[in-house]
Amino acid sequence: MVRLDVDPALLLETVEQRQLRAVLRDVLRDACGSERVREQAASPRGFDRALWDRLAGEIGVHGLAVPEEYGGAGYTFAELAVALEETGRVLCPAPLLPTVVLAGEALLASGDRRACERWLPGIASGARTATVAGVLHPAQVTAERGPDGWVLRGEADFVPDGEGAELLLVAARAPDGARLFACAPDAATCRRTARRVLDPTRRQAHVRFAGAAAEPVGEPGQAPAAAAAIRDAGRAALAAEHVGGSAHALEATLDHVSHRTQFGRAIGSFQAIKHRLADLLVAVEGARSASSYASACLAVRRPELPVAATAAAVACTHAYRLATTEYVQLHGGIGFTWEHPAHLYVRRARADEALFGTGGDHALRLAGLLGLTGRSG
């Protein structure tokens, strides 16, 4: 039986977290309006580097969950989750998820102090973008010893921020077992091709390794356990983003139905609309609770994190899908047009289901973790 137990105080927002939320909301309101998000997503790198530097340097977002010994602020994922919720609220295209969460967790989960000392300070300062390859989706990457050290061969697909990331943490099969490798890609041995994906604010790429130089991270045979930890951190992070996006959709829809009139009255006063919004509010608040619990478990490294992160994925995927659907429908369907911001939220909600799985996938995994089926991966 899985025991779900965590100090309730960890689920409450602290004064520092509330202040962080206020600062981020103020900064992102100006930097990530819907038109600015479109401009950033269409830019060569896909995000605003000035905003990235400001988030890292002025506010310290990138180093929140990085230990002080590796150049971070020494807080926990609970603080980082606040930032992810706020960036998810505005669909900020900056690659926080692949760099700070996935690559950061890959290094920390490896237990390799040398690798952490080398790579984490750059991530924490915002000087380096990073991602993982061969972790979220099946890949065919092998590692072999060359005359000058380890080299990677093979390919990984749908790598988040794979085209532009300056560091790749790659899960590869080596002669001594599956393990992680750090690769600073160069064009001669690492061909990266952008994939055309549903969500333009979250870029992905196909990466082909042709003798790319790499350094081992962690011990041989460690990759499967590290990959599981990375995916659970990713589920918790995505849940926080989804809470922010769902909250925006609810608030924007409430504002619209309060001002849009029909038959001489605001459409929000009709009972059918009230029922739909009440259902949405329940879903969003349930998602918020599940996300908070998963963030608390990751913050203190509780053993029930796999259950908590998967439960949050179930609740938050459902809430985000429902929120974006109502965002479109209660705006009279206009959200299906490219010009309306709801269109971007629909794309983010649907595309995110391909990163770690659909709501059904998460529900099946949760059932396995709870011993209700034979599946727990």
Side-chain angles (χ1 to χ4, degrees):
M1 177 180 292
V2 178
R3 183 185 178 191
L4 302 180
D5 182 25
V6 72
D7 183 354
L10 294 174
L11 305 180
L12 301 177
E13 190 169 76
T14 66
V15 173
E16 290 83 1
Q17 290 168 3
R18 192 155 48 247
Q19 292 172 340
L20 173 63
R21 185 183 302 281
V23 169
L24 282 168
R25 191 164 298 186
D26 185 55
V27 169
L28 294 171
R29 183 185 300 112
D30 296 332
C32 290
S34 62
E35 289 307 313
R36 289 286 295 121
V37 166
R38 295 173 198 271
E39 291 171 6
Q40 292 175 42
S43 68
R45 186 59 182 90
F47 66 95
D48 182 350
R49 188 75 201 206
L51 175 61
W52 176 264
D53 292 340
R54 186 179 182 190
L55 291 174
E58 181 180 321
I59 305 175
V61 168
H62 301 58
L64 284 171
V66 176
E68 290 181 283
E69 62 186 308
Y70 302 130
Y75 288 99
T76 70
F77 185 83
E79 285 71 33
L80 180 57
V82 172
L84 292 167
E85 184 179 335
E86 292 306 313
T87 55
R89 175 184 286 269
V90 296
L91 302 183
C92 177
L96 285 171
L97 177 68
T99 296
V100 178
V101 179
L102 302 181
E105 180 63 24
L107 290 165
L108 291 172
S110 73
D112 187 329
R113 290 185 60 86
R114 184 190 61 81
C116 288
E117 289 171 352
R118 178 170 183 182
W119 302 112
L120 278 176
I123 289 175
S125 69
R128 177 179 292 112
T129 57
T131 191
V132 297
V135 173
L136 306 185
H137 305 286
Q140 301 294 324
V141 183
T142 59
E144 59 189 52
R145 290 188 182 275
D148 299 316
W150 289 94
V151 295
L152 301 177
R153 301 188 187 280
E155 56 189 80
D157 209 352
F158 296 104
V159 176
D161 196 38
E163 185 184 18
E166 295 152 338
L167 173 68
L168 305 178
L169 279 303
V170 186
R173 297 190 310 276
D176 53 359
R179 64 192 303 181
L180 289 175
F181 290 85
C183 172
D186 76 53
T189 58
C190 186
R191 182 179 178 183
R192 302 188 283 176
T193 306
R195 284 296 194 191
R196 185 178 181 183
V197 291
L198 180 63
D199 177 14
T201 68
R202 180 114 61 201
R203 294 188 175 187
Q204 299 179 53
H206 176 270
V207 181
R208 183 182 297 276
F209 301 96
E215 299 177 9
V217 176
E219 298 299 321
Q222 193 181 41
I230 294 165
R231 287 193 291 267
D232 281 331
R235 291 183 182 101
L238 211 58
E241 285 192 357
H242 288 180
V243 168
S246 299
H248 164 82
L250 175 58
E251 291 165 11
T253 303
L254 280 171
D255 181 68
H256 177 74
V257 301
S258 297
H259 294 91
R260 177 75 168 90
T261 59
Q262 198 164 19
F263 306 112
R265 56 192 287 197
I267 62 174
S269 65
F270 294 120
Q271 196 71 15
I273 301 297
K274 290 181 179 180
H275 287 168
R276 290 171 67 168
L277 290 174
D279 289 342
L280 178 54
L281 176 62
V282 169
V284 172
E285 290 305 309
R288 189 183 304 280
S289 296
S291 174
S292 296
Y293 184 71
S295 295
C297 288
L298 182 52
V300 296
R301 302 288 171 171
R302 294 286 303 185
E304 63 265 31
L305 172 62
V307 173
T310 308
V314 171
C316 296
T317 299
H318 165 71
Y320 205 13
R321 176 176 277 270
L322 177 62
T324 53
T325 298
E326 296 291 40
Y327 195 2
V328 170
Q329 293 186 357
L330 295 181
H331 276 77
I334 193 174
F336 274 116
T337 65
W338 178 245
E339 293 75 17
H340 197 280
H343 190 80
L344 292 171
Y345 287 85
V346 171
R347 284 174 174 253
R348 172 65 72 88
R350 301 301 184 269
D352 276 357
E353 293 189 20
L355 283 177
F356 299 102
T358 65
D361 293 331
H362 297 311
L364 184 59
R365 180 175 190 260
L366 181 60
L369 290 168
L370 295 175
L372 302 178
T373 70
R375 175 181 174 181
S376 60

